[in-house]
Amino acid sequence: MTQAPLMIQRSCRIPVPLADCFALYTRLKADEYIHSDALIAPITRIEMIQGKSFNEVGDIQRITFKGGAVIDEEVLAFVPNRQFVYKGTGFSQPLLNWLDHAKGSFEFEKDGDGTLVTWRYLFYLKPGLGIGPKRLVFKAAVVDLIWNRMMTKTLVNLTQIITLRALQAGKR
């Protein structure tokens, strides 16, 4: 029996108009804004496996973290000024190796003169023996503790970077 994915989402308001916010976001590399700390290793390398920009359906990038952990991400949907959806596979970190895959999305919505950005992440655990207890441990340790903290801090970083770049470009 397939279980529903575990989900987490966080939102932030970026004081930059929607089209400019989306354009600035799509020019960023994950290592420019993803939060790292004692629990979340910093990104050491991003390489394109397929495609050139990681902005088109089917593009695949490999992200390597300090310590050697790797995640492959594939663009599943790209709707200008609206949505960016990707799938992550090949998680090699402890606990994350319980994942079959994950789906992430960044949703962009006009919010007055700014943009509401919602980052959603769905974790699909591998089926098998012990899935119930693994699901409980994964939710408590990874989703509620680690991912919650990382997403919250990453969205603060994203807000600051996009706002600053919009100001530098005179688009705010």
Side-chain angles (χ1 to χ4, degrees):
M1 178 176 162
T2 303
Q3 290 196 11
L6 294 165
M7 186 200 58
I8 185 169
Q9 75 177 34
R10 296 290 173 266
S11 297
C12 65
R13 184 182 186 282
I14 301 178
V16 174
L18 176 63
D20 296 329
C21 183
F22 190 84
L24 288 164
Y25 166 76
T26 59
R27 290 185 203 125
L28 294 173
K29 297 280 186 207
D31 59 352
E32 293 181 82
Y33 63 90
I34 295 289
H35 171 75
S36 62
D37 59 21
L39 293 175
I40 300 154
I43 294 170
T44 58
R45 183 173 182 203
I46 299 174
E47 65 180 303
M48 290 302 298
I49 302 300
Q50 182 173 305
K52 294 180 182 170
S53 64
F54 201 62
N55 287 336
E56 294 185 25
V57 173
D59 285 355
I60 300 172
Q61 70 180 6
R62 176 165 291 146
I63 299 177
T64 304
F65 297 85
K66 183 177 181 182
V70 173
I71 299 171
D72 288 344
E73 294 181 334
E74 177 182 359
V75 178
L76 300 177
F78 186 90
V79 181
N81 300 327
R82 181 67 191 125
Q83 182 184 58
F84 178 84
V85 181
Y86 59 99
K87 177 181 179 180
T89 58
F91 297 90
S92 59
Q93 303 92 320
L95 292 182
L96 291 184
N97 62 9
W98 293 352
L99 286 176
D100 178 69
H101 68 282
K103 285 185 184 173
S105 67
F106 283 88
E107 312 263 337
F108 296 77
E109 182 178 334
K110 182 177 176 20
D111 185 28
D113 60 353
T115 304
L116 179 67
V117 177
T118 300
W119 185 12
R120 184 173 300 114
Y121 217 80
L122 300 167
F123 298 94
Y124 295 84
L125 297 176
K126 293 175 184 172
L129 288 175
I131 188 67
K134 283 182 180 178
R135 185 176 172 88
L136 291 172
V137 169
F138 192 90
K139 182 172 182 342
V142 176
V143 178
D144 294 342
L145 179 65
I146 298 170
W147 230 264
N148 180 37
R149 176 184 163 104
M150 187 268 299
M151 288 179 90
T152 300
K153 291 187 174 202
T154 293
L155 288 174
V156 168
N157 293 346
L158 196 60
T159 300
Q160 291 172 345
I161 292 166
I162 290 175
T163 302
L164 180 60
R165 292 192 181 173
L167 284 171
Q168 291 170 341
K171 295 191 178 220
R172 180 171 178 245

